[in-house]
Amino acid sequence: MNKSPFILSIAGGGSTYTPGIVKSLMVRLADFPLSEIRLYDIDKERQETIAPVVEKVIRDHSETIKFTVTIDAQTAFEGAHFVFAQMRVGQYKMREQDEKIPLRHGVVGQETCGPGGLAYGLRTILPMVELIDLVEKYASPKAWIVNYSNPAAIVAEGVRRLRPHARVLNICDMPVAAMRNMAAILNADRHDLDVDYFGLNHFGWFTSVRVKGEEKLPQLREHIAKFGLLTEDAAQTDPQHSDPSWVKTWRHIQPLMDAFPEYIPNPYLQYYLMPNYIVEHQDPNYTRANEVMDGREKRLFEAAREYKETGILPDAFHVGVHGAFIVDVACSLAFNLRQRHLVIVENKGAIAGLPYDAMVEVPAYITEHGPEPIRVGDIPRFYRTLLEQQLASEQLLVEATLEGNYEKALEAFTLNKTVPSVIHAKKILDDMIEANREYWPQLHKAYIKGK
Ligand code: G6P
Ligand code: MN
């Protein structure tokens, strides 16, 4: 196969994840050859802080790959073959608001689930579409955008509505992270796991886990009943998900499965199925955003400073399934490998009973033309109803964003299973409109007018 090297741009170049993704790219150069890596961000200072670390990672593996750091879209995307997108609109400062505002009202505070996820969705849909337009304007006509930007379910729905033909593949590393943990529990190689799964992003279930054709759900159930979805020694899991809050999250698979042992839930279902428990066990003044700013972000910034001062780069960033997965998906797109991965795609009948155009998360073969979803078929009523409600909440939120429609935003918040009443929904939404003034001017206007 002719593998002429690609130009790859990373949108959200200043992300704490960038060095890890680039490291993953470097160890896979034989599979996914690169002539140039470009970092693109709208926050110049942040990107320039992280860029020397990224450059060092590249130079440790290649003298020839060109490295470009820019805040100019044309420079970033001209002739690019792949774009990895990982934007965080409002950065960690706004993530903190997404988490803390609902908690002030006794409701789950999370960046992708519940009111926090809806708020983050309202901020992200239009910037994501702007990015797609810039890529389409400048990049190679067959360029693919592989998108990690959250909240992925809502972003995917917004993109489907506004740019239905865009070459964007929305992905999430959560199922593959769960598979990493399953493999550790089963003492197997992650790549030998063969799974069935259905749902929406951050809202789905594994219905089968096979290793060399043998069903492993019974063994996993037994383990989960004792330890959750972690090995007995939690330190054995990937450091990306070994902060205390993540360890708790993996452990929570146990109560979820004590209630419904049939399938293995995506860890994010803890927020929808036991919201009050989560709120009661969380410090409303110190959320995941704080943990990340004091942890992953701080370590990376310190490493960048140390590298600048001493020329020695400490091992301060993480390489794991997050980076490996996006490279796997890109390889399959680039070389038509038809690998089977869990990705976010338009349903098109894959999950029976869910709307044809719903953006679902299911296994798909990744081809050079994009994902070909695998038919899941019928699902039990309990799961379908949960999915329908969540889908309605997310779709209404997208409509609210596109129309600047306050009532629809309130409906989206009210329908979300983490929100106990319309009174909570309204108070949280109104506080969020205030906090997001500069991001949602239209909704702010609609809100003021309705007062
Ligand atoms: C998982 C999810 C991502 C999310 C990330 C947040 O990997 O799949 O969607 O962005 O967690 O991780 P963090 O460490 O920033 O809380
Ligand atoms: Mn995710």
Side-chain angles (χ1 to χ4, degrees):
M1 194 184 300
N2 174 26
K3 289 193 176 181
S4 35
F6 300 121
I7 299 171
L8 170 88
S9 307
I10 300 184
S15 162
T16 51
Y17 283 116
T18 305
I21 287 183
V22 170
K23 181 78 186 270
S24 303
L25 285 162
M26 291 303 104
V27 298
R28 296 285 296 280
L29 278 174
D31 303 324
F32 194 74
L34 291 167
S35 58
E36 183 173 357
I37 293 181
R38 300 178 186 160
L39 301 191
Y40 171 70
D41 207 305
I42 55 172
D43 183 339
K44 185 168 192 282
E45 200 191 323
R46 187 183 171 99
Q47 179 164 259
E48 280 176 359
T49 304
I50 289 169
V53 172
V54 176
E55 184 164 26
K56 165 81 173 128
V57 172
I58 296 174
R59 290 297 159 246
D60 281 349
H61 293 83
S62 161
E63 282 302 319
T64 54
I65 293 175
K66 194 174 162 204
F67 180 56
T68 305
V69 182
T70 182
I71 54 165
D72 173 61
Q74 182 166 4
T75 312
F77 303 128
E78 188 107 77
H81 303 99
F82 278 88
V83 177
F84 288 179
Q86 42 163 2
M87 60 165 71
R88 182 177 283 287
V89 181
Q91 300 186 334
Y92 287 126
K93 193 171 112 289
M94 287 310 293
R95 175 176 184 176
E96 195 178 1
Q97 294 300 311
D98 294 339
E99 293 167 350
K100 289 186 178 171
I101 291 173
L103 281 169
R104 279 212 296 271
H105 298 279
V107 172
V108 166
Q110 214 281 326
E111 62 156 352
T112 64
C113 302
L118 297 172
Y120 189 15
L122 261 155
R123 286 201 303 279
T124 310
I125 294 170
L126 298 178
M128 187 66 211
V129 169
E130 247 172 67
L131 174 73
I132 292 170
D133 289 350
L134 289 168
V135 171
E136 279 189 356
K137 182 166 173 195
Y138 297 119
S140 142
K142 288 209 152 178
W144 273 102
I145 301 175
V146 190
N147 183 39
Y148 255 144
S149 308
N150 266 326
I154 291 170
V155 168
E157 171 64 6
V159 169
R160 182 189 71 78
R161 295 232 186 164
L162 291 174
R163 297 291 181 271
H165 304 297
R167 289 166 69 88
V168 180
L169 180 54
N170 298 288
I171 61 167
C172 166
D173 66 347
M174 203 70 253
V176 76
M179 288 163 69
R180 168 202 63 210
N181 291 16
M182 291 174 195
I185 292 166
L186 296 169
N187 233 332
D189 184 326
R190 171 172 78 81
H191 297 96
D192 289 338
L193 258 57
D194 194 9
V195 300
D196 293 333
Y197 185 94
F198 70 80
L200 312 174
N201 178 240
H202 290 186
F203 202 110
W205 292 265
F206 290 91
T207 58
S208 173
V209 178
R210 300 171 298 274
V211 177
K212 301 198 170 90
E214 195 187 324
E215 184 56 72
K216 296 290 183 186
L217 267 188
Q219 193 182 332
L220 286 169
R221 261 187 216 114
E222 238 173 76
H223 180 95
I224 288 167
K226 291 194 205 125
F227 308 108
L229 193 54
L230 273 179
T231 48
E232 208 172 326
D233 169 13
Q236 274 182 38
T237 58
D238 191 312
Q240 182 199 347
H241 293 119
S242 60
D243 276 345
S245 63
W246 272 109
V247 169
K248 232 164 65 174
T249 297
W250 293 117
R251 298 258 187 250
H252 286 162
I253 300 282
Q254 178 194 334
L256 293 173
M257 281 190 77
D258 283 349
F260 304 112
E262 197 171 14
Y263 304 146
I264 299 180
N266 187 299
Y268 283 89
L269 280 157
Q270 65 172 343
Y271 299 113
Y272 299 98
L273 296 177
M274 36 193 223
N276 47 352
Y277 179 88
I278 297 291
V279 173
E280 280 157 26
H281 291 81
Q282 195 177 349
D283 179 351
N285 299 311
Y286 194 84
T287 58
R288 179 64 187 156
N290 302 108
E291 202 179 40
V292 172
M293 287 187 276
D294 294 344
R296 185 171 69 232
E297 184 178 55
K298 196 162 163 212
R299 278 195 301 275
L300 181 57
F301 285 162
E302 272 170 9
R305 191 174 36 81
E306 204 177 315
Y307 176 57
K308 198 169 158 193
E309 284 164 10
T310 66
I312 298 163
L313 181 61
D315 187 10
F317 54 89
H318 173 64
V319 188
V321 291
H322 180 86
F325 181 53
I326 196 168
V327 178
D328 277 343
V329 168
C331 283
S332 203
L333 284 170
F335 302 112
N336 200 26
L337 302 181
R338 305 187 65 85
Q339 281 173 0
R340 192 178 193 266
H341 292 293
L342 301 182
V343 294
I344 302 161
V345 285
E346 196 170 344
N347 187 27
K348 294 188 175 163
I351 304 177
L354 282 197
Y356 187 84
D357 61 3
M359 294 304 287
V360 297
E361 197 165 84
V362 291
Y365 295 112
I366 310 300
T367 79
E368 62 187 334
H369 306 293
E372 286 176 7
I374 290 165
R375 191 177 152 72
V376 173
D378 272 328
I379 55 173
R381 176 198 287 230
F382 172 64
Y383 300 94
R384 197 183 63 235
T385 310
L386 284 170
L387 288 169
E388 281 167 350
Q389 179 173 356
Q390 176 66 7
L391 184 66
S393 171
E394 290 171 349
Q395 291 190 331
L396 280 164
L397 192 279
V398 171
E399 287 171 20
T401 310
L402 306 188
E403 299 166 18
N405 186 322
Y406 178 84
E407 285 73 26
K408 282 193 177 173
L410 185 57
E411 288 172 1
F413 275 56
T414 307
L415 264 180
N416 200 280
K417 212 174 143 46
T418 60
V419 179
S421 80
V422 67
I423 303 191
H424 290 84
K426 185 156 180 12
K427 283 191 182 149
I428 296 169
L429 175 60
D430 292 352
D431 282 3
M432 284 191 151
I433 287 179
E434 217 31 70
N436 283 276
R437 238 185 146 112
E438 59 171 300
Y439 299 100
W440 313 341
Q442 244 190 315
L443 208 59
H444 191 258
K445 254 190 258 154
Y447 166 63
I448 299 292
K449 219 169 98 198
K451 264 189 142 180

